[in-house]
Amino acid sequence: MNEIMSKVQENVKKELLKAFSEKGFTPYSKRYKYYVKSLDENIIGGSMSTDQWNMFDDGSGGELVDVVTPAKAKAIYSSSMLSYNFFRNINEDCTLKIDHIEYDKVFFEVKLPTLRSSNAPANMDVVLVSKDGKDALFIESKFLEYLEYDSVDLAKSYSKDASSYFIDNKETEALLEMSKKYENKKGLRYNYGIKQNICHLIGISNLKQSQNAKEKFTKTYEKKWDNYSAILDAENYQFMNMIFISNLPEASKEAENYIKELNDFQKEFLTSNIKRYTRTPFVMTYRELFDKLSDKLQGKIRDALQRRYIDCHS
Protein backbone atom coordinates (compact mmCIF):
# COMPACT_ATOMS: atom_id res chain seq x y z
CA MET A 1 0.00 0.00 0.00
CA ASN A 2 1.41 3.43 -0.84
CA GLU A 3 1.65 6.27 1.68
CA ILE A 4 -1.41 8.16 0.40
CA MET A 5 -3.73 5.17 0.51
CA SER A 6 -2.34 4.18 3.89
CA LYS A 7 -3.40 7.58 5.26
CA VAL A 8 -6.83 7.32 3.65
CA GLN A 9 -7.42 3.91 5.17
CA GLU A 10 -6.18 5.13 8.56
CA ASN A 11 -8.63 8.07 8.44
CA VAL A 12 -11.57 5.74 7.76
CA LYS A 13 -10.49 3.48 10.63
CA LYS A 14 -10.41 6.51 12.95
CA GLU A 15 -13.99 7.34 12.00
CA LEU A 16 -15.01 3.76 12.73
CA LEU A 17 -13.25 3.94 16.07
CA LYS A 18 -15.27 7.04 17.02
CA ALA A 19 -18.50 5.20 16.26
CA PHE A 20 -17.41 2.22 18.36
CA SER A 21 -16.26 4.41 21.25
CA GLU A 22 -19.68 6.07 21.59
CA LYS A 23 -21.11 2.88 23.09
CA GLY A 24 -17.98 1.75 24.90
CA PHE A 25 -15.04 -0.02 23.35
CA THR A 26 -12.33 -2.26 24.78
CA PRO A 27 -9.31 -2.38 22.44
CA TYR A 28 -7.47 -5.66 22.14
CA SER A 29 -4.19 -3.96 23.10
CA LYS A 30 -2.28 -0.72 22.49
CA ARG A 31 -0.65 -2.30 19.47
CA TYR A 32 -3.96 -3.57 18.06
CA LYS A 33 -6.03 -0.48 18.78
CA TYR A 34 -8.47 -1.20 15.96
CA TYR A 35 -9.32 -4.67 17.29
CA VAL A 36 -11.90 -5.44 19.98
CA LYS A 37 -10.99 -7.46 23.06
CA SER A 38 -14.05 -9.69 22.80
CA LEU A 39 -15.56 -10.81 19.49
CA ASP A 40 -19.06 -10.06 20.82
CA GLU A 41 -18.14 -6.35 20.86
CA ASN A 42 -17.87 -6.52 17.07
CA ILE A 43 -21.22 -8.26 16.65
CA ILE A 44 -24.54 -6.42 16.50
CA GLY A 45 -27.58 -8.27 17.83
CA GLY A 46 -26.05 -10.79 20.22
CA SER A 47 -23.59 -13.66 19.94
CA MET A 48 -23.40 -15.90 16.87
CA SER A 49 -25.61 -18.96 16.80
CA THR A 50 -23.80 -22.31 16.80
CA ASP A 51 -24.65 -22.86 13.13
CA GLN A 52 -23.32 -19.45 12.13
CA TRP A 53 -20.16 -19.90 14.20
CA ASN A 54 -19.54 -23.19 12.42
CA MET A 55 -19.98 -21.50 9.03
CA PHE A 56 -17.23 -18.98 9.81
CA ASP A 57 -15.03 -21.45 11.64
CA ASP A 58 -15.25 -23.81 8.66
CA GLY A 59 -14.01 -21.18 6.23
CA SER A 60 -10.34 -21.07 5.32
CA GLY A 61 -9.86 -17.46 6.40
CA GLY A 62 -9.00 -18.09 10.10
CA GLU A 63 -11.58 -15.53 11.13
CA LEU A 64 -12.67 -16.23 14.68
CA VAL A 65 -9.83 -17.49 16.84
CA ASP A 66 -6.78 -15.63 18.20
CA VAL A 67 -3.50 -17.31 17.36
CA VAL A 68 -0.36 -15.16 17.45
CA THR A 69 -2.37 -12.09 16.49
CA PRO A 70 -6.01 -11.21 17.16
CA ALA A 71 -8.67 -13.00 15.11
CA LYS A 72 -9.46 -11.20 11.86
CA ALA A 73 -13.11 -10.87 12.86
CA LYS A 74 -12.10 -8.75 15.86
CA ALA A 75 -10.98 -5.88 13.60
CA ILE A 76 -13.52 -3.06 13.61
CA TYR A 77 -12.95 -2.88 9.84
CA SER A 78 -13.51 -6.63 9.34
CA SER A 79 -15.29 -7.25 6.05
CA SER A 80 -16.67 -10.57 7.29
CA MET A 81 -18.21 -8.93 10.39
CA LEU A 82 -19.61 -6.09 8.28
CA SER A 83 -21.46 -8.60 6.09
CA TYR A 84 -22.41 -10.75 9.09
CA ASN A 85 -23.90 -7.84 11.03
CA PHE A 86 -26.14 -6.92 8.11
CA PHE A 87 -27.07 -10.31 6.68
CA ARG A 88 -27.42 -12.30 9.91
CA ASN A 89 -30.84 -10.72 10.39
CA ILE A 90 -32.35 -12.35 7.30
CA ASN A 91 -34.85 -15.07 8.14
CA GLU A 92 -38.51 -15.97 7.58
CA ASP A 93 -39.64 -12.95 9.58
CA CYS A 94 -37.07 -10.51 8.16
CA THR A 95 -36.80 -11.21 4.44
CA LEU A 96 -34.71 -9.24 1.96
CA LYS A 97 -36.17 -8.39 -1.44
CA ILE A 98 -33.75 -7.79 -4.31
CA ASP A 99 -34.97 -7.58 -7.91
CA HIS A 100 -38.46 -8.74 -6.84
CA ILE A 101 -36.97 -11.91 -5.32
CA GLU A 102 -37.58 -12.47 -1.60
CA TYR A 103 -34.70 -14.10 0.31
CA ASP A 104 -35.15 -15.71 3.73
CA LYS A 105 -32.14 -18.02 4.12
CA VAL A 106 -28.50 -16.96 4.60
CA PHE A 107 -25.16 -18.80 4.56
CA PHE A 108 -21.71 -17.41 5.36
CA GLU A 109 -18.21 -18.31 4.15
CA VAL A 110 -19.43 -20.85 1.60
CA LYS A 111 -16.71 -22.91 -0.08
CA LEU A 112 -17.12 -23.27 -3.84
CA PRO A 113 -15.11 -25.99 -5.62
CA THR A 114 -12.72 -24.47 -8.16
CA LEU A 115 -10.32 -27.16 -9.44
CA ARG A 116 -10.50 -30.95 -9.41
CA SER A 117 -6.95 -31.21 -8.12
CA SER A 118 -7.18 -28.52 -5.44
CA ASN A 119 -8.63 -28.35 -1.94
CA ALA A 120 -8.39 -24.54 -2.06
CA PRO A 121 -11.95 -23.35 -2.70
CA ALA A 122 -13.33 -19.94 -3.54
CA ASN A 123 -14.75 -18.64 -0.26
CA MET A 124 -18.01 -16.78 -0.88
CA ASP A 125 -18.79 -14.26 1.86
CA VAL A 126 -22.57 -14.61 1.72
CA VAL A 127 -25.10 -16.78 -0.10
CA LEU A 128 -28.82 -16.02 0.07
CA VAL A 129 -31.55 -18.46 -0.95
CA SER A 130 -35.04 -17.29 -1.86
CA LYS A 131 -38.21 -18.07 0.03
CA ASP A 132 -39.46 -20.33 -2.76
CA GLY A 133 -36.06 -22.05 -3.05
CA LYS A 134 -35.64 -21.20 -6.73
CA ASP A 135 -32.93 -18.54 -6.51
CA ALA A 136 -29.48 -18.32 -4.90
CA LEU A 137 -27.62 -15.00 -4.71
CA PHE A 138 -23.84 -15.21 -4.17
CA ILE A 139 -22.28 -12.07 -2.65
CA GLU A 140 -18.68 -10.87 -2.36
CA SER A 141 -18.33 -8.21 0.36
CA LYS A 142 -15.72 -5.43 0.55
CA PHE A 143 -15.12 -3.01 3.42
CA LEU A 144 -11.80 -1.16 3.06
CA GLU A 145 -9.87 -3.63 0.91
CA TYR A 146 -10.17 -1.53 -2.23
CA LEU A 147 -8.10 1.19 -0.52
CA GLU A 148 -5.07 -1.07 -0.83
CA TYR A 149 -2.60 -1.46 -3.65
CA ASP A 150 -3.02 -5.19 -4.04
CA SER A 151 -1.88 -6.64 -7.36
CA VAL A 152 -1.86 -10.41 -7.77
CA ASP A 153 -2.04 -13.04 -10.45
CA LEU A 154 -4.30 -16.04 -10.46
CA ALA A 155 -2.66 -18.98 -8.78
CA LYS A 156 -0.44 -20.98 -11.10
CA SER A 157 -2.76 -23.94 -10.65
CA TYR A 158 -5.31 -22.14 -12.81
CA SER A 159 -2.96 -22.38 -15.76
CA LYS A 160 -3.09 -26.16 -15.87
CA ASP A 161 -4.64 -28.13 -18.72
CA ALA A 162 -8.36 -28.67 -19.17
CA SER A 163 -8.38 -31.83 -17.02
CA SER A 164 -7.87 -29.62 -13.96
CA TYR A 165 -11.30 -28.10 -14.37
CA PHE A 166 -14.70 -29.46 -13.48
CA ILE A 167 -16.06 -28.06 -16.71
CA ASP A 168 -14.15 -27.53 -19.95
CA ASN A 169 -15.90 -24.86 -21.93
CA LYS A 170 -15.74 -21.32 -23.22
CA GLU A 171 -16.89 -19.87 -19.89
CA THR A 172 -13.76 -20.96 -18.07
CA GLU A 173 -11.56 -19.96 -21.00
CA ALA A 174 -13.12 -16.48 -21.06
CA LEU A 175 -12.52 -16.02 -17.34
CA LEU A 176 -8.89 -17.10 -17.60
CA GLU A 177 -8.33 -14.72 -20.50
CA MET A 178 -9.84 -11.96 -18.38
CA SER A 179 -7.42 -12.77 -15.57
CA LYS A 180 -4.49 -12.16 -17.90
CA LYS A 181 -5.93 -8.81 -18.91
CA TYR A 182 -6.26 -7.67 -15.31
CA GLU A 183 -2.88 -8.90 -14.08
CA ASN A 184 -1.07 -5.76 -15.18
CA LYS A 185 -3.86 -3.40 -16.18
CA LYS A 186 -2.64 0.18 -16.09
CA GLY A 187 -4.39 2.31 -13.50
CA LEU A 188 -6.03 -0.61 -11.69
CA ARG A 189 -5.05 -0.21 -8.07
CA TYR A 190 -6.81 -3.21 -6.55
CA ASN A 191 -6.90 -6.16 -8.93
CA TYR A 192 -7.22 -8.73 -6.15
CA GLY A 193 -10.95 -8.03 -6.08
CA ILE A 194 -11.21 -8.82 -9.81
CA LYS A 195 -9.21 -12.02 -9.23
CA GLN A 196 -11.69 -13.01 -6.52
CA ASN A 197 -14.60 -12.34 -8.87
CA ILE A 198 -13.02 -14.63 -11.46
CA CYS A 199 -12.49 -17.44 -8.95
CA HIS A 200 -16.03 -17.04 -7.61
CA LEU A 201 -17.54 -17.20 -11.09
CA ILE A 202 -15.57 -20.36 -11.85
CA GLY A 203 -16.88 -21.85 -8.59
CA ILE A 204 -20.48 -20.82 -9.27
CA SER A 205 -20.32 -22.18 -12.81
CA ASN A 206 -18.86 -25.45 -11.46
CA LEU A 207 -21.57 -25.83 -8.84
CA LYS A 208 -24.31 -25.23 -11.38
CA GLN A 209 -23.02 -27.44 -14.20
CA SER A 210 -20.75 -30.15 -12.80
CA GLN A 211 -22.01 -33.23 -10.97
CA ASN A 212 -18.48 -33.83 -9.64
CA ALA A 213 -18.38 -30.32 -8.18
CA LYS A 214 -21.79 -30.85 -6.57
CA GLU A 215 -20.54 -34.08 -5.01
CA LYS A 216 -17.44 -32.31 -3.67
CA PHE A 217 -19.64 -29.56 -2.23
CA THR A 218 -21.95 -32.16 -0.64
CA LYS A 219 -19.01 -34.00 0.90
CA THR A 220 -17.84 -30.74 2.46
CA TYR A 221 -21.16 -29.83 4.06
CA GLU A 222 -23.44 -32.84 4.43
CA LYS A 223 -22.30 -33.55 8.02
CA LYS A 224 -21.97 -29.89 8.99
CA TRP A 225 -25.03 -28.00 7.74
CA ASP A 226 -28.52 -29.47 7.78
CA ASN A 227 -29.82 -27.17 5.05
CA TYR A 228 -26.77 -26.93 2.75
CA SER A 229 -28.78 -28.54 -0.06
CA ALA A 230 -30.87 -25.37 -0.40
CA ILE A 231 -27.94 -23.87 -2.33
CA LEU A 232 -27.64 -26.88 -4.63
CA ASP A 233 -31.38 -27.10 -5.21
CA ALA A 234 -31.78 -23.51 -6.40
CA GLU A 235 -32.59 -23.27 -10.10
CA ASN A 236 -31.10 -19.84 -10.72
CA TYR A 237 -27.68 -18.57 -9.62
CA GLN A 238 -26.70 -14.88 -9.51
CA PHE A 239 -23.48 -13.23 -8.33
CA MET A 240 -22.93 -9.64 -7.18
CA ASN A 241 -20.58 -7.43 -5.14
CA MET A 242 -21.51 -5.54 -1.97
CA ILE A 243 -19.38 -2.45 -1.23
CA PHE A 244 -18.99 -0.19 1.79
CA ILE A 245 -18.48 3.45 0.85
CA SER A 246 -17.07 5.93 3.35
CA ASN A 247 -18.21 9.54 3.13
CA LEU A 248 -14.60 10.72 3.34
CA PRO A 249 -14.02 12.22 -0.14
CA GLU A 250 -10.69 10.54 -0.82
CA ALA A 251 -12.07 7.15 0.21
CA SER A 252 -15.37 7.46 -1.68
CA LYS A 253 -13.43 8.34 -4.83
CA GLU A 254 -11.52 5.07 -4.57
CA ALA A 255 -14.79 3.20 -4.03
CA GLU A 256 -16.23 4.78 -7.17
CA ASN A 257 -13.14 3.77 -9.15
CA TYR A 258 -13.40 0.18 -7.93
CA ILE A 259 -17.12 0.01 -8.70
CA LYS A 260 -16.38 1.22 -12.23
CA GLU A 261 -13.77 -1.53 -12.65
CA LEU A 262 -16.27 -4.14 -11.46
CA ASN A 263 -18.94 -2.90 -13.86
CA ASP A 264 -16.44 -2.85 -16.75
CA PHE A 265 -15.44 -6.38 -15.81
CA GLN A 266 -19.05 -7.53 -16.01
CA LYS A 267 -19.55 -5.89 -19.41
CA GLU A 268 -16.82 -8.12 -20.82
CA PHE A 269 -19.29 -11.01 -20.58
CA LEU A 270 -22.24 -9.49 -22.42
CA THR A 271 -21.76 -12.06 -25.20
CA SER A 272 -20.70 -14.93 -22.94
CA ASN A 273 -22.74 -17.59 -21.20
CA ILE A 274 -21.09 -16.57 -17.93
CA LYS A 275 -23.19 -13.38 -18.06
CA ARG A 276 -26.22 -15.27 -16.82
CA TYR A 277 -24.50 -15.73 -13.45
CA THR A 278 -23.98 -12.00 -12.87
CA ARG A 279 -26.63 -9.70 -11.47
CA THR A 280 -27.28 -6.30 -13.04
CA PRO A 281 -26.57 -3.93 -11.35
CA PHE A 282 -23.40 -5.84 -10.50
CA VAL A 283 -22.68 -3.77 -7.38
CA MET A 284 -24.84 -2.78 -4.40
CA THR A 285 -23.73 -0.55 -1.53
CA TYR A 286 -24.31 -1.21 2.15
CA ARG A 287 -26.32 2.02 2.27
CA GLU A 288 -28.72 0.52 -0.29
CA LEU A 289 -28.87 -2.71 1.68
CA PHE A 290 -29.63 -0.82 4.90
CA ASP A 291 -32.48 1.03 3.20
CA LYS A 292 -33.97 -2.30 2.08
CA LEU A 293 -33.74 -3.84 5.55
CA SER A 294 -34.31 -0.93 7.93
CA ASP A 295 -38.11 -1.21 8.18
CA LYS A 296 -37.88 -4.89 9.09
CA LEU A 297 -35.05 -4.74 11.63
CA GLN A 298 -35.55 -4.55 15.37
CA GLY A 299 -35.09 -0.98 16.58
CA LYS A 300 -31.89 -1.54 18.58
CA ILE A 301 -30.26 -3.49 15.74
CA ARG A 302 -31.26 -0.91 13.13
CA ASP A 303 -29.96 1.94 15.29
CA ALA A 304 -26.66 0.15 15.97
CA LEU A 305 -26.07 -0.55 12.26
CA GLN A 306 -26.91 3.04 11.40
CA ARG A 307 -24.66 4.52 14.08
CA ARG A 308 -21.67 2.28 13.38
CA TYR A 309 -21.69 1.97 9.60
CA ILE A 310 -24.16 4.33 7.96
CA ASP A 311 -24.35 7.77 9.56
CA CYS A 312 -20.68 8.67 9.46
CA HIS A 313 -19.65 6.63 6.47
CA SER A 314 -21.92 5.64 3.64
Side-chain angles (χ1 to χ4, degrees):
M1 186 188 306
N2 74 356
E3 185 177 350
I4 295 175
M5 284 301 103
S6 179
K7 289 181 179 178
V8 171
Q9 197 174 85
E10 185 72 11
N11 289 337
V12 177
K13 290 177 183 178
K14 287 178 180 178
E15 291 298 313
L16 282 168
L17 193 58
K18 289 180 185 177
F20 267 78
S21 299
E22 287 179 7
K23 287 294 182 178
F25 169 71
T26 308
Y28 187 88
S29 67
K30 288 185 179 180
R31 179 181 178 184
Y32 294 103
K33 61 182 179 180
Y34 293 125
Y35 288 74
V36 294
K37 188 74 172 178
S38 167
L39 180 60
D40 282 351
E41 289 186 89
N42 212 15
I43 294 175
I44 294 173
S47 301
M48 285 186 180
S49 69
T50 301
D51 284 346
Q52 290 172 342
W53 178 280
N54 289 339
M55 289 179 189
F56 278 94
D57 195 43
D58 191 53
S60 60
E63 291 288 336
L64 302 179
V65 180
D66 297 341
V67 188
V68 178
T69 58
K72 294 178 183 179
K74 288 185 175 181
I76 63 174
Y77 53 89
S78 164
S79 183
S80 63
M81 287 301 98
L82 170 70
S83 60
Y84 178 72
N85 282 329
F86 275 88
F87 287 103
R88 70 172 301 187
N89 301 291
I90 295 173
N91 54 47
E92 293 179 355
D93 298 319
C94 181
T95 59
L96 171 64
K97 186 173 285 188
I98 298 177
D99 302 331
H100 308 294
I101 300 171
E102 194 170 12
Y103 297 95
D104 68 346
K105 290 175 281 294
V106 59
F107 302 84
F108 297 99
E109 294 292 317
V110 179
K111 294 181 177 181
L112 303 179
T114 52
L115 300 173
R116 290 178 182 271
S117 56
S118 174
N119 289 321
N123 283 322
M124 186 65 64
D125 293 321
V126 180
V127 179
L128 304 178
V129 177
S130 62
K131 198 169 186 177
D132 62 10
K134 293 181 178 180
D135 296 272
L137 181 61
F138 297 77
I139 300 171
E140 172 63 22
S141 170
K142 292 298 178 196
F143 201 162
L144 305 184
E145 293 92 338
Y146 56 81
L147 295 176
E148 302 173 1
Y149 277 93
D150 200 345
S151 182
V152 299
D153 300 339
L154 274 181
K156 290 182 179 179
S157 55
Y158 282 87
S159 300
K160 293 181 179 179
D161 59 62
S163 64
S164 300
Y165 296 93
F166 286 100
I167 53 175
D168 179 21
N169 57 29
K170 292 182 179 180
E171 293 177 12
T172 302
E173 292 175 6
L175 285 166
L176 294 176
E177 284 301 313
M178 282 293 290
S179 73
K180 295 176 184 177
K181 173 182 176 180
Y182 279 92
E183 280 175 6
N184 298 298
K185 185 178 179 182
K186 186 176 180 180
L188 178 58
R189 192 189 310 279
Y190 179 70
N191 83 349
Y192 185 71
I194 301 294
K195 177 260 183 186
Q196 283 183 310
N197 271 242
I198 289 171
C199 292
H200 290 330
L201 284 166
I202 289 175
I204 291 168
S205 184
N206 286 343
L207 202 59
K208 189 61 181 173
Q209 300 184 64
S210 168
Q211 185 59 37
N212 287 332
K214 291 177 182 179
E215 290 172 1
K216 188 171 185 176
F217 184 84
T218 298
K219 187 176 181 180
T220 300
Y221 291 118
E222 63 182 344
K223 294 182 180 180
K224 299 175 183 177
W225 300 352
D226 291 337
N227 57 347
Y228 77 94
S229 60
I231 298 173
L232 288 177
D233 293 341
E235 298 173 14
N236 308 305
Y237 283 5
Q238 291 274 280
F239 171 63
M240 63 176 285
N241 291 267
M242 186 72 65
I243 306 293
F244 172 88
I245 303 179
S246 169
N247 67 354
L248 296 178
E250 60 273 34
S252 62
K253 181 179 178 180
E254 289 301 317
E256 291 169 5
N257 289 340
Y258 182 54
I259 290 172
K260 181 180 183 303
E261 288 292 348
L262 288 171
N263 287 328
D264 288 347
F265 168 76
Q266 187 201 28
K267 289 176 184 177
E268 295 283 347
F269 297 104
L270 286 174
T271 59
S272 167
N273 286 334
I274 201 75
K275 175 73 166 87
R276 69 182 183 275
Y277 297 129
T278 61
R279 173 186 176 266
T280 302
F282 194 40
V283 181
M284 180 182 287
T285 68
Y286 273 96
R287 159 68 74 176
E288 293 172 310
L289 176 62
F290 179 78
D291 290 343
K292 287 179 178 292
L293 283 173
S294 59
D295 290 342
K296 296 185 177 183
L297 294 172
Q298 294 178 15
K300 289 183 178 180
I301 293 175
R302 181 183 63 248
D303 293 345
L305 289 171
Q306 184 164 355
R307 181 177 58 253
R308 183 181 300 185
Y309 298 116
I310 302 299
D311 282 350
C312 21
H313 295 289
S314 55

